[in-house]
Amino acid sequence: FFFKQKTAYEMRISDWSSDVCSSDLQQLQNLRRDPKWYYLSWRLLNQLQQGYSLSQAMQSLPACFPILDRQLIAAAELSGQLAQTLQYVVRYRRQLELLKREVIRVMTYPGIVLFCSIGVVIVMVSVVVPQFAQFFEAAGKNLPPSTQDLFIISAGIQTYGGLIGLCLTGLSLFSFYAYRTARIVQKMTQSVILKTPLIGRLMISAQLAASCYSLSVLLNSGIDLKQALGSTQHIQNWILNQDRWRRLSLKVDQGWQLSQAIAQDSYFPDLLKQLIQTAELAGQMPLVLTQAADYYHEYFSQSLKSFVSWLEPLSLIIVGAVVTLIMVALYLPMFQMYRDWETDRKSTRLNSSH
């Protein structure tokens, strides 16, 4: 993303006219030798040299520049605050990047532990258990019900493991396709996630942090509240949130205060409702929204750490319980065989003494 290539100082002192944009892009083009970056900067530079504005040049590359950024740059060009708006864009993108990195960093280790644990269970059931099954079958002893069930599961995995894996893969692909294409499936899935304890709070805090910060950036760029709400609606990844922000935009268009519209939706926490109401009275909506975004970002980080702190031991406990059940099911027949052997040995001694 080429905004990141300019320092805050460069953006602050530059007037970002078409000539300045062209010269800056020429310099930035030489900073990286990546072919994709070279092509992107060449496209922008070519259109700027033809007399197009920066926002118009960005409109021709919708896959590279999200709709929020394009709208911000267009509004900033009209208001003459392009350099300041670029700073807001950089901060907003960094905020989102921090959220993504936090999730990846915190979830990597528990994910590796869970993956390895599941692999151990699969190896035990498909490799170790069949060896015990052959041993007990050769011994010709009656097996406890738990051991019989374990051997049946193991035999089923060995026989139909490929078919089971294929079915699970097909089901996963079908579910993914249904989620991407069917709005009703998306709404149902997202509703379940939001109602899930702890995970729901995590998702809400992350969504509120991104939405509050984007709304703050839009308002700081001179965009009116109704248009800012409409733009915030378009950047939402979830169908439920798109509908929610569209309803807010409609109510504000009908003359409602933003605090009144938000008060009607239980999705928004009471704290945010109070902050919005205070911001309207003080006339400091962008500043309050930025502070709210920072708060929910911090809340998300702390909640994520708390979630992982019990997710890791919980996953180990579950996997350990499964491994324990497998081991108990395997050792029960061995204990029974030992008792039978002791009984036969004592019987033999008694018979020999008589």
Side-chain angles (χ1 to χ4, degrees), residues 89-163:
V89 172
V90 172
R91 289 181 58 192
Y92 173 67
R93 291 300 164 193
R94 284 175 179 171
Q95 194 84 352
L96 294 183
E97 191 69 21
L98 286 175
L99 284 174
K100 295 178 182 178
R101 289 182 180 180
E102 186 73 14
V103 173
I104 295 174
R105 183 184 66 82
V106 176
M107 295 299 295
T108 298
Y109 178 69
I112 294 175
V113 171
L114 184 61
F115 177 79
C116 294
S117 301
I118 294 176
V120 169
V121 172
I122 294 176
V123 170
M124 289 187 64
V125 173
S126 60
V127 178
V128 178
V129 172
Q131 302 298 324
F132 280 87
Q134 295 177 1
F135 171 75
F136 292 135
E137 183 180 0
K141 298 292 184 179
N142 294 327
L143 301 176
S146 60
T147 307
Q148 295 179 17
D149 294 338
L150 177 62
F151 288 165
I152 292 173
I153 294 173
S154 177
I157 292 176
Q158 281 191 307
T159 305
Y160 303 105
L163 181 61

Side-chain angles (χ1 to χ4, degrees), residues 2 20-30 37 41 44-45 48 54:
F2 85 96
V20 175
C21 280
S22 298
S23 61
D24 288 338
L25 280 174
Q26 287 176 340
Q27 294 176 6
L28 296 176
Q29 195 175 36
N30 298 324
W37 164 255
S41 57
L44 289 173
L45 181 61
L48 289 173
L54 179 59

Side-chain angles (χ1 to χ4, degrees), residues 192-205 307 310:
V192 171
I193 292 176
L194 291 179
K195 293 178 181 178
T196 304
L198 190 57
I199 296 179
R201 287 187 298 169
L202 274 173
M203 298 304 302
I204 291 174
S205 59
F307 174 73
W310 66 261

Side-chain angles (χ1 to χ4, degrees), residues 99 102-103 202 205-206 296-304:
L99 284 174
E102 186 73 14
V103 173
L202 274 173
S205 59
Y296 284 111
H297 179 225
E298 182 64 24
Y299 179 83
F300 170 78
S301 300
Q302 297 299 326
S303 299
L304 183 62

Side-chain angles (χ1 to χ4, degrees), residues 254-288:
Q254 295 171 2
W256 290 45
Q257 293 287 336
L258 179 59
S259 59
Q260 296 173 334
I262 286 181
Q264 304 296 320
D265 196 332
S266 60
Y267 168 82
F268 297 99
D270 293 336
L271 175 62
L272 182 60
K273 296 175 182 178
Q274 295 174 0
L275 289 174
I276 295 297
Q277 186 176 14
T278 304
E280 288 176 340
L281 296 175
Q284 297 290 334
M285 184 67 72
L287 176 61
V288 172

Side-chain angles (χ1 to χ4, degrees), residues 141 334-352:
K141 298 292 184 179
M334 299 179 68
F335 295 150
Q336 183 63 43
M337 292 173 62
Y338 177 75
R339 286 195 295 268
D340 293 342
W341 178 76
E342 280 289 326
T343 303
D344 293 342
R345 189 169 64 86
K346 292 179 180 179
S347 300
T348 303
R349 286 183 178 180
L350 290 175
N351 293 332
S352 61

